């Protein structure tokens, strides 16, 4: 690192950030297809675009967003979706 110029360091940092974003998008894409391959349909399905680029919450903090999106009824629905054997499916 002693011989790296500030310009080269910036390039390394930008490359690292781009790789991290790529891996995050890839993980979201894989999670989406795992969700779709479950073969079940939930009441309010999530689209691919919502997995890759979630909508802005317009000032809503993360905790209230989670409480709103993941209600006990939704969590039960997801549990039935991903654990069909547990629920007689």
């Amino acid at each position: 690192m002693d011989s790296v110029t500030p310009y080269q360091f910036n390039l390394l940092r930008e490359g690292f950030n781009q790789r991290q974003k790529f891996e995050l998008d890839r993980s979201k894409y894989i999670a989406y297809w795992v969700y779709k391959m479950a073969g079940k349909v939930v009441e309010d399905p999530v689209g691919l675009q919502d997995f890759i680029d979630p909508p802005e919450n317009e000032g809503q903090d993360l905790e209230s967003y989670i409480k709103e999106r993941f209600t006990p009824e939704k969590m039960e629905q997801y549990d039935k979706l991903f654990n069909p054997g547990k629920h007689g499916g």
Side-chain angles (χ1 to χ4, degrees), residues 34-48:
V34 167
Y35 170 76
K36 293 298 276 185
M37 296 299 278
K40 308 282 182 173
V41 177
V42 293
E43 188 174 303
D44 184 17
V46 178
L48 177 61

Side-chain angles (χ1 to χ4, degrees), residues 14 28 36 87:
E14 288 173 13
K28 290 176 184 178
K36 293 298 276 185
H87 298 280

